[in-house]
Structure formats: C-alpha cells, structure tokens
Amino acid sequence: MKSALLAVALTALTLSPAAQAKPTPIALAIHGGAGTIDPDNMSEAQREAVTAKLDQALMAGYALLEQGKPALDAVEAAVRVLEDSPLFNAGVGAVYTWDERHELDASIMDGATLEAGAVAGVTTVRNPISLARRVMTDSAHVMLSGQGAEQFAQSQGLEQVANSHFDTERRLQSLHKAKAKIQAQEAVSHQAAVATLDDHYKMGTVGAVALDRNGNLAAATSTGGMTAKRWGRIGDSPVIGAGTYADNDSCAVSATGHGEFFIRYNVAADICARAKYQGIPLAAASDTVINQRLVAAGGTGGVITVDPQGRVAMPFNTQGMYRASIDAEGNKTVAIWGTSQ
Ligand code: ASP
C-alpha cells in the first residue's frame, strides 16, 4: 500500500512542467447550411468566396476563445459575421417570404446554465442572434416573436435597419421561381406544392457551437427560414431543442435542414440526450439521428456538434454542408462536400 502511494506521488512529481501546464481545450464549429450543393454548378470564385467567409467567421469566434472569452461570445461573434454576409440565408441574404419580405429567426443557448434566448419573425433587427442573446440575458422570457421582439430590440438599443437591408437579387429570383412552382401545384395540395421545392430554397442557415477554456458549451443558430414561407411560418432554428441545444453535461448542437422535421424529431436535444444517457460518443449519437432517424423519415439536413472534450462531429445527409471547425487538438477544417466529419 505504502509503495503504491509512493509510486503515485513520484508520478505526480515527475510530470513535465509542459504536461502540468497543458491548457484546457477549446473548440469551435460553424455551419452555413446543408443541402443540394452541386459542385458542377458552383464556380471556383463562388467556392472561394464561401470558404473565405466561413474561415473569417470561424477565426472571429476562435480568437475570442483563445483570449479566454466565453463560448457564448464566440458563437455570437461567428454567427454575426455570417449574418452580415449576403452568401448565407441569415441576416443580409435571407430568403424572401411569400409577401417579399424577410422574417428572421434565431436562438442561442448557454450550456453552463441551460439558459436560452430565441426570436422568431423579426424584420428589422440587423443581427437577430444578438437579439436572441438579449432575450436570454435581459428578459424574463425564452422566446419573443414579431412586433414584440422588435420593441424589445429597440428597448435594448440594438441596431435596427429597414427590411430591405436584407435584400439580395439572387434570393428574389428564387422567390419568384418558388412561387411559380407552388402556384402551379397548389390546386392539388398545398403540402405537395411546397414539397416540390428542393432544399436549395432554404439553403444557407448559419450556426455555431463552441467549448471555452472554462469547459462551458454554447450553441447559436440564425436563419431567414424557407423561401416563400407564409402565415408566419417558423422553422426549427429558434426552437430550443430542435435547431439549437447546449448542455455542459453532453454537447452543443446547431442544426440546418428541413425545419419541420427537425422540430418533430427534436433533433438537437435528442442528439445530446443520446450521448448523455446511452454513454456513446457524440459522433455516434449525431450520426444516428441525422443519417438514420431523419433519413428514414425523409428529413434532409445536418448538424454541427461539439462535446465537453472539444471533439467535433458534423454529420449531414445532403449533398453538402458549408462548415468549418477547429477541434480540441487544433485540427482545422473548412469544407463543403466530402465525409461528414
Ligand atoms: N432549418 C431552417 C428552417 O427550416 C432552414 C435550413 O436550415 O435550411 O427554417
């Protein structure tokens, strides 16, 4: 017994200073949407523009983590970069509603406290993710929608813009095509008409997940939703548990894909629950939900995930997913196609 204790003490003494000083891990992953991304329809210039913006968003968030800032700051910073870019379906570049406007949804969750904030159908807030964070930190609520959310944004002094700030010609063309397709089929069935739209019409939702130096996880998601959406349609992105989830005990998840499926399958929370209660790696839990459960149901999309050790998994069941990450080992990825990790 004595000799065993001595051995333990000696091992502790002989640990190199470098090993003792090993910093706690940090990790960040981001996405810019999953869907049919045809390599043959994408010019080299487009590919470069998208990957450069993903890289910029990733590094904006990662720099904060390196400075020891909270995971919440990192995910918000990364998402704001993507919201301000016309390349993605969030903020500038958001898809159009049936009435040729933009209605934006966003949510954020703190894995340390399980606090969360979300906004749905906002039309004038430049960075909906920052409004979602204020809902979490400065209101008594989790989710605000429409005009009330705008009033709250004003009371918080958040930057507001005309709805046309989010306009892009590319998305307007998509709306016109989508409406023509829907109108041609709607007499038969509204569901069938909307189902004829491929995932190109909602492609580009953005999100981020992070692990900070204090071991805290956070997740954030922001979107314009689906092209030609009507009647105040809200997808999964602002729904805690569906499009966004974070819990220090299990994982952080941000989703992108056909929101109606992600809501019904409670995708983000289900992945974390599987990892936690089944004691399986997050990569396995997220792969089961995205590539088995959702595929069987006909739900397209993907997720970015990070666990408390800073391991990243980014499975998707579509042709591609815009994504980038730096894991706990410092491995960096910026990718569109390829395997889902
Ligand atoms: N999940 C988003 C929605 O349904 C769209 C997307 O991620 O492509 O609103």
Side-chain angles (χ1 to χ4, degrees):
M1 177 68 178
K2 245 187 186 171
S3 60
L5 282 178
L6 193 64
V8 171
L10 279 176
T11 316
L13 282 175
T14 51
L15 272 181
S16 72
Q20 284 175 12
K22 195 173 180 209
T24 47
I26 55 174
L28 179 68
I30 64 168
H31 71 78
T36 309
I37 313 172
D38 187 350
D40 297 333
N41 279 342
M42 199 178 206
S43 69
E44 190 56 24
Q46 282 172 316
R47 199 187 58 75
E48 269 171 22
V50 168
T51 51
K53 191 52 77 175
L54 288 171
D55 193 49
Q56 184 193 336
L58 182 74
M59 297 322 291
Y62 197 74
L64 297 176
L65 294 176
E66 281 185 308
Q67 291 161 24
K69 298 267 168 53
L72 281 168
D73 287 3
V75 294
E76 182 185 358
V79 166
R80 282 178 67 106
V81 170
L82 299 172
E83 285 178 337
D84 285 339
S85 163
L87 297 171
F88 305 96
N89 173 19
V92 181
V95 298
Y96 285 78
T97 65
W98 188 269
D99 301 322
E100 292 200 10
R101 289 153 41 85
H102 309 279
E103 293 175 2
L104 311 175
D105 303 335
S107 66
I108 193 163
M109 186 159 184
D110 179 356
T113 60
L114 300 196
E115 286 176 357
V119 292
V122 297
T123 58
T124 64
V125 178
R126 176 176 161 185
N127 291 107
I129 198 61
S130 297
L131 179 57
R133 188 163 178 187
R134 290 296 179 91
V135 172
M136 176 174 77
T137 56
D138 290 272
S139 86
H141 309 295
V142 169
M143 187 188 277
L144 300 180
S145 70
Q147 270 189 4
E150 315 269 345
Q151 280 166 12
F152 177 69
Q154 205 170 3
S155 76
Q156 290 291 309
L158 290 186
E159 187 179 351
Q160 288 182 273
V161 292
N163 194 247
S164 58
H165 171 78
F166 307 113
D167 287 356
T168 51
E169 187 53 34
R170 176 173 76 103
R171 295 293 191 186
L172 188 59
Q173 295 307 323
S174 292
L175 174 69
H176 293 154
K177 282 188 206 149
K179 282 177 89 164
K181 278 190 170 190
I182 292 171
Q183 276 161 339
Q185 306 238 3
E186 205 158 42
V188 184
S189 135
H190 169 68
Q191 277 104 322
V194 171
T196 58
L197 299 182
D198 63 28
D199 51 22
H200 159 76
Y201 290 98
K202 55 179 173 49
M203 179 73 210
T205 291
V206 308
V209 293
L211 169 70
D212 68 25
R213 288 244 187 268
N214 290 321
N216 291 323
L217 294 172
T221 311
S222 182
T223 190
M226 285 174 101
T227 301
K229 65 185 182 181
R230 273 185 278 186
W231 309 309
R233 181 265 186 190
I234 297 167
D236 60 311
S237 306
V239 178
I240 298 301
T244 302
Y245 200 72
D247 178 352
N248 279 4
D249 277 356
S250 53
C251 67
V253 179
S254 170
T256 173
H258 196 154
E260 280 68 11
F261 287 85
F262 281 68
I263 292 173
R264 291 192 289 110
Y265 283 78
N266 197 31
V267 165
D270 187 28
I271 289 171
C272 292
R274 282 165 187 266
K276 185 166 166 175
Y277 299 123
Q278 296 182 341
I280 57 173
L282 182 55
S286 53
D287 187 64
T288 301
V289 173
I290 297 301
N291 286 312
Q292 292 178 30
R293 269 177 78 71
L294 277 188
V295 166
T300 52
V303 286
I304 51 168
T305 67
V306 63
D307 74 7
Q309 286 73 44
R311 289 176 292 222
V312 169
M314 304 188 282
F316 52 94
N317 62 28
T318 48
Q319 191 176 18
M321 179 166 80
Y322 298 127
R323 62 200 188 278
S325 65
I326 302 178
D327 69 12
E329 307 294 323
N331 302 311
K332 182 173 173 180
T333 309
V334 182
I336 301 176
W337 301 281
T339 59
S340 57
Q341 297 305 311

